[in-house]
Each structure stands twice: as C-alpha cells, then as structure tokens.
Amino acid sequence: MEPQHKYILRKHRLDLSSNISTDDTIVQYLYQEDILTLDHVEEIQAQSSSKKRTLMLLDILPGRGPKAFGKFLEALEVEYPWVQEKLLQRLDNNAVQITGTDHWAVSESVLQSVPSERQLNRLAGRLGPEWESVLLDLGLSAEDVYRCRANHPLAVQSQVLAGLVLWKQRIGRRATVQALVQSLQAAELHPSVLDQVFL
C-alpha cells in the first residue's frame, strides 16, 4: 500500500470505525478479491463489537499489498458511497503530501542511542500490521517472528515488544534508534509513528 494511502486510513481511522460496519459486505468483498485471507476474516469477526471489527480491518489493510486501498474503496462503493467519496476527495485535493523526504523528528543524540524497553513498548503500541516487516528488516528470522506470535497469541503489542527486545538483546549496542528508524522507513511507515516515543 502506498504511504499516502496508509496515512489516509490512519487519519480517518475513528471516522471510518464510526461510519462503516464490516458486518456488511466489505470484509467478504475483500476476501473475494484476495486482499484478506480466511485467517484475517476470522480474526476480524472474532472482535466483540462492530467498531472493533472495523478497527481490526484498518490495522490489517496496510500490510495487504498495493491493491488493498483501491479494493477497499471498491468495497465501500455500494453501501457507503459518501465515505468512499470523502476518501477520494482527500486524494484528489492533494491534501496528503507524503514523499521520501519525510522528516523523522529525532535528534542525532537519540539516533545514536540504544532505545530503552519503555521506549520500545511505546513503539510496539503504535505499530500496525507492518510490525513483522519491521522485525524481519531488523534481522530477526521468520521463525523468531512466529515464536513471538505463538508466545503472546492474544496481544499484538506484546508480540511486537518481544521481537524488539529480542533484537536489542541479540546485537547489543548496535541496536540503535537509527537502525530502528531505517527499518521503519523500509516498511514505508509515516514519521508520525514515532510521536511521543522517544521523549
């Protein structure tokens, strides 16, 4: 998914969770179009409320490839055309300007430091479904990521934190904030993901 599309979904997250219901045809359409897997559908349907189901969908979509945003717009067309129109206007008006020169507002001294577990926990709480890509880019193996998921099956934040702590333990002083930022950039995350993390 393009960075600007991820940004739009994040900016409209609460509006979308209040204005659309995944109990309608949206999830089934995205499954039909191979954007969601059966596991994704079951994970969404397992949420306890319509709002939580929509938020879970919005967490999953950014990691589902370049067609995910367009297919999501298509899914909105029949039952939520006004929501689709609002998202399209955000694109057409060039209201979102995201380029490769995004400024990651982190000082040089922080970039060279090793993040604390408290800072890693804050970051873990802000990462969406891209977290696996971030950990793989940091050098963890697919088996490491699987173990993090298996050890904390009910808490995504704990899965992410376990992976980040493992990365820090393995490479010690080379586990710098700069290395972390580079992996966040590689996963095409927006700089706002670091808001309030390195205070």
Side-chain angles (χ1 to χ4, degrees), residues 46-178:
Q47 302 305 305
S48 59
S49 69
S50 177
K51 185 166 188 171
K52 287 182 179 179
R53 287 189 283 275
T54 301
L55 290 172
M56 177 61 69
L57 171 64
L58 295 176
D59 285 340
I60 292 170
L61 278 177
R64 299 306 299 159
K67 295 181 180 179
F69 186 77
K71 292 296 182 183
F72 178 60
L73 290 179
E74 289 177 15
L76 294 173
E77 187 171 0
V78 174
E79 297 189 53
Y80 302 100
W82 66 94
V83 178
Q84 182 201 50
E85 183 64 26
K86 184 175 183 180
L87 295 179
L88 286 170
Q89 283 178 353
R90 291 282 294 182
L91 289 174
D92 292 342
N93 294 339
N94 296 315
V96 181
Q97 298 291 334
I98 298 180
T99 70
T101 60
D102 280 330
H103 179 59
W104 293 73
V106 182
S107 68
E108 186 62 30
S109 61
V110 171
L111 284 173
Q112 300 309 316
S113 67
V114 175
S116 66
E117 281 201 27
R118 177 178 291 183
Q119 290 169 332
L120 292 177
N121 188 47
R122 285 192 198 126
L123 177 60
R126 297 183 65 86
L127 290 180
E130 303 93 342
W131 70 271
E132 293 186 17
S133 298
V134 172
L135 292 180
L136 292 171
D137 193 75
L138 286 170
L140 270 64
S141 67
E143 184 179 345
D144 292 329
V145 173
Y146 174 80
R147 194 176 301 118
C148 292
R149 291 178 70 108
N151 290 343
H152 305 278
L154 301 178
V156 174
Q157 183 170 345
S158 297
Q159 295 171 9
V160 184
L161 179 60
L164 292 172
V165 169
L166 179 60
W167 162 71
K168 180 179 171 182
Q169 290 172 342
R170 281 199 180 156
I171 66 172
R173 297 188 63 81
R174 290 185 293 118
T176 62
V177 173
Q178 183 169 17

Side-chain angles (χ1 to χ4, degrees), residues 3-49:
Q4 63 264 33
H5 296 159
K6 293 179 182 181
Y7 183 77
I8 287 173
L9 291 183
R10 184 162 53 246
K11 276 298 187 183
H12 290 271
R13 182 179 175 84
L14 294 179
D15 282 345
L16 287 167
S17 68
S18 298
N19 287 302
I20 68 173
S21 170
T22 57
D23 299 335
D24 298 311
T25 58
I26 294 173
V27 167
Q28 293 305 320
Y29 180 79
L30 293 171
Y31 175 62
Q32 170 190 297
E33 297 298 314
D34 293 325
I35 300 301
L36 299 179
T37 66
L38 185 57
D39 285 345
H40 290 139
V41 173
E42 291 174 350
E43 188 175 9
I44 291 166
Q45 292 176 341
Q47 302 305 305
S48 59
S49 69

